[in-house]
Amino acid sequence: MPRKLLVALCATLSLHIALATIFKNSPNTPLISNALQVLASFLGAAACFGAHRRGRGLSRSFWLLVGCGFAIWGISNIFWGYYEVVFHAEPPPGSFVRFLFGTQRTFFAMALLLEENEKSKYGVLESVADFVQLVIVFTLIYLGVYYIPSLHMEPQAALHRGIQVELGESCALIALALIQRARNALPQTRSLFGGFAMYLTVYTAAAAIAEYHPNIQKTTTGNAYDLCWTAALMFGAIWAARWEPTQDIARQASPKTKTFAQLAMNNATYVLAPLIVMIQIAGMPTDWRLLRFSLLGVSIICYAVRLSVSQFRASQNSELARRHALAMDSAVDGMAILSVGGRFEYANAAFARMSGQDDAQAILGKSWRDVLVARDSETLELEIRKELIAHAKWFGPVTIQQ
């Protein structure tokens, strides 16, 4: 971790502790305390952007989105501090400031829905469609679960409803992070999602303590409970600053072909957003008709864009595989592909002739040990595995029995 960042984090925490204990009755405490929270969030954003520069592949997009989430929290807290310093009160229920805080979770959800090795020339369009879709989902949750009901509630009840919505969304993100960690095979990707789940857990616990203390709405920023926000943001900054990309090239090889369950989960993810939108708009009052049907229309368009990009990518991959297969079939050199279990999944005509077979189909399903000379297979496997671990490739002569 950079020493300057560590010094800045320690100084921020020390000042906040002093404000919450020694200077808690000072008239300037809310202003300084909010400023320290904003500083902690911006330090977290800076640490994430630093990790973005160090990363490669999925990790670069992941840290960029998480850094934007930290930054939007700091920007939101600037407006929150304005209310407390100028009006000596928290933003009222339904305020845009409270909604702005929620947009942080949109960036976090985007980071959790990233997929490794999904690249195409329409990747930016795909990302924009996903982001707009998530904004619509979180907006409708905010309107349907919190804002519209809060119009008919007492301020205290509305405040507690907002806290419940916030904590519920955070718990959903934790569950999503754990699911993504479980379903990814690459060590670096698992480390990212696992670390993010840990940070979200710390942040959610800190939010619950800070927002559910007995004197809520009776104290301003600067009390001891607000240390929870600063501590959680600092935890995220330390996590991002200490992260390093995996150096093992072999471990970052292309992932296996997706299983049926993985493909079904991906397709369900695409459908889930419009489904949530339809459920939310069904429960909205009739005087919100224009907004709810407009959001539904945009959501359907985003779904269509996402599905089109997915189908286009599949079509490209299929055409690329067809061309590669045609080139391998026509090659004069013998070529073959083995499964994870060491059995032939593909062999071209040249390899079949080298093996003394008239048809490549006669080789498919056989173990590579049945094709190579026995004395070679005893030492060859160890040599190949050693080279794959060190350089992610192997080249050398083999003797084939005919």
Side-chain angles (χ1 to χ4, degrees):
M1 180 192 305
R3 180 173 297 181
K4 292 182 179 179
L5 178 61
L6 181 61
V7 171
L9 291 174
C10 291
T12 302
L13 182 61
S14 300
L15 286 172
H16 208 146
I17 293 174
L19 287 172
T21 54
I22 303 174
F23 304 105
K24 60 182 179 180
N25 296 322
S26 172
N28 295 322
T29 294
L31 174 62
I32 301 174
S33 182
N34 274 297
L36 291 175
Q37 289 178 353
V38 171
L39 177 60
S41 66
F42 286 164
L43 288 174
C48 291
F49 294 147
H52 161 75
R53 290 191 294 270
R54 296 193 301 273
R56 51 183 186 269
L58 177 144
S59 64
R60 289 181 60 84
S61 300
F62 175 87
W63 285 116
L64 180 63
L65 290 167
V66 174
C68 289
F70 272 88
I72 202 69
W73 194 99
I75 294 171
S76 304
N77 205 53
I78 292 175
F79 293 105
W80 188 284
Y82 173 79
Y83 269 89
E84 289 195 330
V85 172
V86 177
F87 301 109
H88 305 288
E90 291 184 353
S95 169
F96 176 74
V97 177
R98 294 184 181 273
F99 173 77
L100 192 60
F101 267 107
T103 57
Q104 177 198 44
R105 290 183 286 278
T106 303
F107 288 100
F108 286 174
M110 273 287 293
L112 289 172
L113 293 176
L114 291 173
E115 291 285 343
E116 189 73 69
N117 295 327
E118 284 200 356
K119 297 179 181 179
S120 72
K121 62 181 181 179
Y122 297 106
V124 175
L125 180 62
E126 185 179 38
S127 298
V128 171
D130 286 345
F131 183 77
V132 173
Q133 190 79 276
L134 287 171
V135 169
I136 293 173
V137 169
F138 280 100
T139 299
L140 286 174
I141 291 175
Y142 174 82
L143 292 174
V145 182
Y146 168 65
Y147 179 74
I148 296 177
S150 71
L151 298 176
H152 310 286
M153 292 181 177
E154 295 294 328
Q156 188 74 8
L159 177 63
H160 282 285
R161 171 64 72 91
I163 294 173
Q164 291 169 1
V165 172
E166 177 186 341
L167 295 181
E169 290 177 348
S170 296
C171 289
L173 290 178
I174 294 172
L176 180 58
L178 293 175
I179 291 172
Q180 289 290 68
R181 183 187 184 279
R183 64 188 289 265
N184 277 278
L186 297 180
Q188 178 170 280
T189 307
R190 288 173 59 85
S191 173
L192 283 174
F193 290 138
F196 199 26
M198 184 178 297
Y199 164 70
L200 289 171
T201 301
V202 171
Y203 178 86
T204 303
I209 295 172
E211 295 184 327
Y212 272 117
H213 63 80
N215 297 322
I216 191 168
Q217 283 194 325
K218 297 180 182 179
T219 58
T220 56
T221 299
N223 57 69
Y225 294 101
D226 282 313
L227 275 170
C228 296
W229 297 112
T230 305
L233 294 168
M234 289 174 58
F235 178 85
I238 293 172
W239 164 55
R242 296 186 62 182
W243 179 84
E244 292 292 339
T246 303
Q247 298 298 325
D248 193 341
I249 299 176
R251 289 179 180 268
Q252 299 302 317
S254 298
K256 302 175 184 178
T257 303
K258 290 183 178 180
T259 63
F260 175 80
Q262 290 173 325
L263 291 173
M265 182 176 291
N266 286 346
N267 292 331
T269 303
Y270 299 153
V271 178
L272 187 61
L275 182 61
I276 293 175
V277 171
M278 286 189 288
I279 293 173
Q280 288 296 324
I281 67 171
M284 294 178 69
T286 55
D287 52 345
W288 292 76
R289 179 177 299 175
L290 178 61
L291 176 64
R292 66 181 187 174
F293 284 112
S294 298
L295 292 178
L296 178 61
V298 175
S299 177
I300 293 174
I301 292 174
C302 291
Y303 171 73
V305 170
R306 190 67 167 83
L307 188 62
S308 299
V309 172
S310 179
Q311 291 178 340
F312 175 75
R313 182 187 293 114
S315 175
Q316 277 191 323
N317 292 340
S318 177
E319 177 62 18
L320 186 62
R322 187 190 68 81
R323 292 180 181 180
H324 286 174
L326 181 61
M328 293 173 67
D329 287 340
S330 305
V332 295
D333 296 325
M335 298 182 183
I337 298 175
L338 300 178
S339 68
V340 177
R343 296 188 177 277
F344 285 96
E345 290 186 336
Y346 168 83
N348 64 358
F351 189 89
R353 289 193 297 270
M354 292 169 59
S355 305
Q357 304 290 337
D358 296 331
D359 186 4
Q361 294 294 326
I363 301 176
L364 302 185
K366 290 185 177 180
S367 172
W368 65 275
R369 295 180 180 86
D370 298 334
V371 177
L372 300 184
V373 175
R375 65 173 182 272
D376 283 357
S377 62
E378 295 175 357
T379 58
L380 189 60
E381 182 176 3
L382 181 62
E383 177 186 343
I384 292 176
R385 291 187 181 277
K386 183 178 179 180
E387 287 297 312
L388 288 177
I389 292 174
H391 306 292
K393 61 183 179 179
W394 172 84
F395 178 83
V398 295
T399 304
I400 298 177
Q401 54 185 350
Q402 296 184 341

